[in-house]
Amino acid sequence: MTAPLLHALLAVLLSLSAFAARALPPQLFHPEWVLPGSDVKGPTTGRAALPSQPVDLGAVRYERDGQRWAIGDFQSRASVKALLVLRDGQVVYEHHRWPNGPQTLHQSWSMMKQLLSNLVGIAVQQGQIQSVDDPMDRYAPALSANGFRGVTFRQALLMSTGVRYDEEVDRVTMFKQVIAHRVSFGGLGATLRDKTLEPQLDRVWSPGSRYAYTSIASQALTMALEGAAKQPLHTLISRQIWQPLGMPDDARVLTDDQGQDFGLCCLFATARSYAIFGQWMAQGGRWQGRPLLNEAWVQRATSFDDPGAWHSTAVPRKAKTQELFGFAYHWWPLEGGRGDFTALGIHGQMVYVSPRQNVVVVRLSDDFSEGSHNEEAIALFRAMADRLKPLDPAER
């Protein structure tokens, strides 16, 4: 068969599969079944072993929908695959729904964005990026070809790039085209780099003037970070996070067929690795006495301290039940004055962090309901944190 005929046949098949993908439920969308990945290696020795000190949380109740619910209710209502709770760095509660277990690698979805934020902070701390207000195209000149021209790291971290992008449509199109490029051996579709540098990503409003969640901003940040650090994203995760924290398990990052790492999503890691990541943030960026990430960066990245951070009223969502979640440097600070915040991914992926109580909760789910019970999760996690270590009334 000639190359043109082969490409025509592939185009038909891909069109049919794209139609089918729109009709299939989201739980059948597994890009890792088609796309390759990069290994994220932990240390060869000295892996962290989270100590365990179980606490009975059976009496914990939270209010939702005019009723009082328990942990088991939430696990059922929110399709929880894994729930792990730390207090002072010790495991006090752990649940894995069969067939998941402690060694299961769970898809992060957009929780990868929070890792990306920390890596940008480390690059600024190490002088690889001179300032968070530097334009990204200084480190990745190709970004100057479209609406990312002149957009700063801060503006991208705050999801305020001004670039034309429909998250619900264009993100899906990006995945389909990256997969098409893979299965057609480059004859169709596009690479991650192609999608990030598309001329159609022009500027529609002034950077910094409004919030618009656009996953392509995270991919642009990835290009700029890799340009500054002269290393691919998976290597940076290994050297700057996984190895210094002594992660108990190796992980993987999804890539396109050119080996470019996804920075907008798609880390695969265990619940305990996510918990250690959260504990690191609960400790203000310190680990075993070392300041791996500047405490001032952690505070600004996870709170409303930056003048450009967005309170929940400026973060529009289709689900009216998500009124707690603001947005800072790719992290989600929570309203309510408790100083808590989360990493967040679609379908119920969350790492909840309460530094004042030194409590971390990892929730990994296949929750495909609107809003993914995220606000309900915060009600439960705050109730658990208050049971484990009550806040002083002055801290509320």
Side-chain angles (χ1 to χ4, degrees), residues 201-246:
L201 299 176
D202 57 350
R203 183 168 296 172
V204 291
W205 40 268
S206 177
S209 64
R210 72 170 79 164
Y211 170 92
Y213 189 96
T214 53
S215 286
I216 204 66
S218 303
Q219 207 57 43
L221 272 170
T222 300
M223 284 186 61
L225 172 65
E226 290 179 335
K230 304 295 190 295
Q231 294 176 347
L233 181 64
H234 68 275
T235 300
L236 292 171
I237 297 173
S238 293
R239 294 180 178 178
Q240 305 288 13
I241 298 179
W242 242 244
Q243 292 172 12
L245 296 183

Side-chain angles (χ1 to χ4, degrees), residues 30-226:
H30 287 272
E32 72 275 14
W33 292 353
V34 182
L35 296 174
S38 297
D39 292 332
V40 173
K41 295 292 188 182
T44 55
T45 60
R47 301 236 178 191
L50 287 172
S52 181
Q53 189 177 41
V55 173
D56 183 4
L57 297 178
V60 171
R61 296 291 183 272
Y62 67 98
E63 301 284 341
R64 197 67 187 169
D65 300 330
Q67 299 186 52
R68 288 171 60 81
W69 303 93
I71 293 176
D73 298 318
F74 177 77
Q75 290 172 177
S76 176
R77 285 161 57 85
S79 301
V80 173
K81 296 186 294 183
L83 190 66
L84 192 152
V85 183
L86 303 183
R87 178 183 62 183
D88 298 332
Q90 297 182 323
V91 178
V92 297
Y93 180 88
E94 186 169 8
H95 162 81
H96 300 277
R97 189 187 75 202
W98 189 89
N100 303 282
Q103 302 306 312
T104 301
L105 298 181
H106 295 271
Q107 160 75 285
S108 70
W109 293 113
S110 284
M111 291 198 300
M112 169 67 97
K113 293 180 172 73
Q114 287 76 65
L115 271 79
L116 180 62
S117 170
N118 286 20
L119 289 171
V120 172
I122 291 171
V124 171
Q125 182 175 303
Q126 295 180 347
Q128 295 167 326
I129 297 170
Q130 293 303 308
S131 168
V132 73
D133 292 311
D134 280 355
M136 295 188 295
D137 56 18
R138 180 176 298 173
Y139 302 88
L143 291 172
S144 65
N146 61 15
F148 285 118
R149 180 182 180 88
V151 173
T152 67
F153 285 93
R154 187 194 303 270
Q155 290 162 345
L157 286 166
L158 289 167
M159 288 295 183
S160 186
T161 64
V163 169
R164 184 189 307 276
Y165 199 77
D166 185 329
E167 176 69 10
E168 295 305 314
V169 174
D170 294 336
R171 173 175 47 84
V172 174
T173 299
M174 177 202 65
F175 269 106
K176 290 193 298 188
Q177 292 192 357
V178 170
I179 290 171
H181 198 271
R182 162 78 164 175
V183 300
S184 69
F185 305 102
L188 297 169
T191 66
L192 277 172
R193 180 180 175 87
D194 293 335
K195 297 302 295 180
T196 309
L197 302 179
E198 279 186 328
Q200 298 94 308
L201 299 176
D202 57 350
R203 183 168 296 172
V204 291
W205 40 268
S206 177
S209 64
R210 72 170 79 164
Y211 170 92
Y213 189 96
T214 53
S215 286
I216 204 66
S218 303
Q219 207 57 43
L221 272 170
T222 300
M223 284 186 61
L225 172 65
E226 290 179 335

Side-chain angles (χ1 to χ4, degrees), residues 55-65 67-86 92-95 321 324-325 334 338 340 342 348 350-354 357 359-365 367 372-389 396:
V55 173
D56 183 4
L57 297 178
V60 171
R61 296 291 183 272
Y62 67 98
E63 301 284 341
R64 197 67 187 169
D65 300 330
Q67 299 186 52
R68 288 171 60 81
W69 303 93
I71 293 176
D73 298 318
F74 177 77
Q75 290 172 177
S76 176
R77 285 161 57 85
S79 301
V80 173
K81 296 186 294 183
L83 190 66
L84 192 152
V85 183
L86 303 183
V92 297
Y93 180 88
E94 186 169 8
H95 162 81
T321 57
L324 282 173
F325 297 85
L334 295 168
R338 297 170 62 114
D340 49 358
T342 71
M350 185 181 292
V351 178
Y352 168 82
V353 182
S354 177
Q357 294 163 296
V359 169
V360 172
V361 184
V362 175
R363 171 209 174 184
L364 302 160
S365 300
D367 186 350
S372 299
H373 295 88
N374 284 336
E375 195 129 328
E376 183 173 345
I378 298 304
L380 169 60
F381 300 164
R382 284 177 167 176
M384 289 195 296
D386 290 346
R387 162 67 176 82
L388 292 167
K389 190 176 290 188
R396 292 181 184 271

